[in-house]
Amino acid sequence: MKSKIVTYLKVFAILSTSCFLFNCVSSNKINYFEKNNSINLNEMLLDYEPTLQKGDILTINVSAIENEAALPFNLFEAPNSPNLIPLPYIVNAEGEINFPVLGKIKVINLTTKELTENLTERLSPYLKMPIVNIRITNFQVTVLGEVKTPGRFFILNERISILDALGLAGDLTIYGDRQNITLVREKDGKRNFQKIDLTDKNLFNAPYFYLSQNDALYVASNKTKVNSSSVGPNTSVVISSISILVTLIAILVR
């Protein structure tokens, strides 16, 4: 009987120490999209396109049936050089770009598709069947915190979801808090913060499911990581106290 009591005490000590160090977490805080399984997904998000913002860097190429006629509508570093090097357009503080021949054009809050249609219409009096190609060259997102490979990622297709960005960063570590991710977004001169819960399937219907250029995601540490970071002299005292307590009880029940 006494040996059983001692065994139980030892098991209790091991479990207590483990829970103290690792703070056991339920699966519904680790697995993604466990909440709201019956929601209807918003198909309108499939057509999402980012809008242009101040400070964006664009490449705009204009071509036409007669290529020489389109040259004045392209911005080159050395227009008289045999090797034409295209220059980027920067959206200024007024939300405009300075376009050759056409002058200043308001582009802020337009999608690249809308700007393409706008320029095509403006160029039609000058060119026969103009073709306009636009790309945001500074489209990037930053992922920090409890992910495997934090950093800044450049996006070529100008369309990336929160899940894609976390995938680029190697997914969350076991210490990442799936219910406490912060999206930082700057738009129209204002910085906005949005909390994200990866365990909630409603994320797929959120207006911020697709990221905008220069968005940042921060993954907070969960309680396990916070508790483990406090391992030190105090932890040793607690573990020693548990061990001493178990030893004393074992002696008393002999």
Side-chain angles (χ1 to χ4, degrees):
M1 182 65 181
K2 293 180 179 179
S3 62
K4 287 185 178 180
I5 294 175
V6 173
T7 301
Y8 293 152
L9 289 172
K10 289 180 178 179
V11 171
F12 170 76
I14 293 171
L15 291 176
S16 299
T17 304
S18 298
C19 288
F20 175 79
L21 289 176
F22 302 108
N23 192 21
C24 303
V25 180
S26 61
S27 62
N28 63 357
K29 291 185 178 181
I30 295 177
N31 296 331
Y32 297 167
F33 319 126
E34 293 239 328
K35 300 176 186 175
N36 300 314
N37 288 325
S38 61
I39 68 166
N40 295 317
L41 299 181
N42 185 1
E43 294 184 359
M44 292 182 64
L45 282 175
L46 296 176
D47 299 324
Y48 171 83
E49 288 185 77
T51 57
L52 300 175
Q53 299 298 317
K54 298 174 183 178
D56 277 347
I57 303 173
L58 313 176
T59 57
I60 303 176
N61 177 263
V62 178
S63 59
I65 293 177
E66 298 179 359
N67 285 329
E68 291 186 0
L71 288 177
F73 299 95
N74 288 279
L75 194 62
F76 297 110
E77 181 177 343
N80 298 322
S81 171
N83 298 319
L84 298 176
I85 302 174
L87 289 176
Y89 296 80
I90 300 177
V91 182
N92 63 22
E94 286 72 41
E96 302 171 332
I97 60 171
N98 194 8
F99 199 82
V101 181
L102 301 180
K104 293 182 178 179
I105 299 175
K106 199 82 169 179
V107 301
I108 193 170
N109 292 328
L110 295 179
T111 65
T112 54
K113 180 180 178 181
E114 291 170 338
L115 181 56
T116 298
E117 294 172 349
N118 182 300
L119 286 175
T120 301
E121 182 179 352
R122 288 172 179 249
L123 292 169
S124 293
Y126 303 94
L127 300 172
K128 186 177 180 180
M129 298 180 65
I131 299 173
V132 179
N133 289 299
I134 302 175
R135 191 168 72 86
I136 305 173
T137 60
N138 68 321
F139 198 109
Q140 59 187 356
V141 296
T142 302
V143 185
L144 301 172
E146 286 295 339
V147 292
K148 292 178 182 177
T149 54
R152 181 181 298 171
F153 304 94
F154 286 88
I155 313 302
L156 296 178
N157 60 3
E158 301 171 11
R159 179 184 172 93
I160 182 171
S161 70
I162 289 172
L163 301 182
D164 294 328
L166 293 174
L168 289 174
D171 199 6
L172 278 68
T173 68
I174 193 64
Y175 299 113
D177 189 342
R178 273 81 177 150
Q179 296 177 310
N180 188 14
I181 298 173
T182 302
L183 167 64
V184 184
R185 173 173 295 175
E186 292 189 13
K187 186 173 183 180
D188 299 329
K190 296 180 180 179
R191 185 175 291 111
N192 301 304
F193 299 87
Q194 179 65 52
K195 288 293 183 182
I196 296 168
D197 182 357
L198 289 180
T199 67
D200 193 340
K201 195 171 286 186
N202 272 321
L203 172 64
F204 289 98
N205 284 336
Y208 47 81
F209 177 70
Y210 286 103
L211 300 177
S212 296
Q213 59 271 41
N214 304 313
D215 277 357
L217 291 172
Y218 174 73
V219 180
S221 300
N222 58 22
K223 290 183 179 179
T224 302
K225 179 63 176 291
V226 173
N227 289 343
S228 66
S229 66
S230 63
V231 172
N234 293 335
T235 304
S236 301
V237 171
V238 172
I239 295 174
S240 298
S241 300
I242 293 174
S243 300
I244 293 171
L245 179 63
V246 170
T247 303
L248 289 174
I249 294 174
I251 293 173
L252 292 174
V253 298
R254 286 180 180 178

